Amino acid sequence: MCAINGCNQPVVGKSKYCGEHRVIARQKFKEMVAAKAVERDQRNDSFADLFRRAHLAGIEAGQKALPTPMVVIERANPLDDASEIVRQYEPIVDGVCGFAWITIYPGNCPAANYAKKHAGASAVYGGGVRIWVHEFGQSYERKMAFAGAYARVLKAGGVARAYSGGRLD
């Protein structure tokens, strides 16, 4: 019998509805799927704007960062800081080398799903997704400034668990 109260018609195929109610149920399902698609597209448009603003804020922060120049020297005995300097290289004005990233938790939230599809994020151990900073060459300090600004904009835009991180190379 049909699952609709008061309907005594036999079910059709593997459905739990009779023929008439199955058509109605399918139409409601199609309308729900279409509404969810519109909702998803609107959410993705807002994420596109949020991630664009985050990227621009990161670029600005990285450009404004003032890294401490790194001076590389070669000593006669590398293990002794007091040994004779054999060679001093030109200062590296962008500072020390390193990596930086932005991590979003959990890895299946709408922002993380958007980041995986559109911002180059990939899954990381612990359940989040990570966006690597590719701007500013090897400059750790500029990359960290970029990542910090990016994460702050994401947090301000409603992505509660967006964090920046980095490490020296």
Side-chain angles (χ1 to χ4, degrees):
M1 290 295 153
C2 181
I4 300 295
N5 284 340
C7 181
N8 295 325
Q9 297 294 321
V11 296
V12 178
K14 294 182 179 181
S15 173
K16 62 181 183 177
Y17 301 112
C18 65
E20 179 184 341
H21 289 122
R22 184 173 77 167
V23 170
I24 294 169
R26 274 192 181 162
Q27 185 59 35
K28 286 182 180 180
F29 178 75
K30 287 180 182 180
E31 290 170 3
M32 179 194 70
V33 168
K36 285 189 180 258
V38 168
E39 180 184 312
R40 183 182 60 247
D41 290 344
Q42 289 172 345
R43 186 176 59 233
N44 283 345
D45 288 345
S46 69
F47 279 137
D49 181 56
L50 177 62
F51 278 77
R52 182 188 56 75
R53 287 186 291 117
H55 187 81
L56 292 175
I59 293 290
E60 184 179 344
Q63 289 171 342
K64 288 182 178 179
L66 298 172
T68 304
M70 180 174 64
V71 178
V72 179
I73 57 173
E74 192 175 324
R75 294 192 178 270
N77 180 358
L79 301 176
D80 182 11
D81 288 344
S83 69
E84 174 187 355
I85 295 176
V86 175
R87 182 173 178 190
Q88 183 166 343
Y89 295 89
E90 290 291 321
I92 300 170
V93 294
D94 273 343
V96 295
C97 300
F99 302 94
W101 56 81
I102 301 93
T103 308
I104 301 171
Y105 293 102
N108 62 351
C109 71
N113 290 334
Y114 179 85
K116 285 186 277 190
K117 289 182 182 176
H118 303 284
S122 56
V124 294
Y125 181 79
V129 296
R130 182 166 292 158
I131 303 168
W132 289 93
V133 177
H134 297 289
E135 287 74 10
F136 305 110
Q138 294 184 0
S139 176
Y140 172 75
E141 294 176 52
R142 290 186 189 275
K143 285 177 178 277
M144 284 301 294
F146 178 99
Y150 200 108
R152 281 190 298 277
V153 170
L154 289 182
K155 281 184 178 183
V159 182
R161 295 181 62 200
Y163 306 100
S164 63
R167 70 171 175 85
L168 294 175
D169 188 19

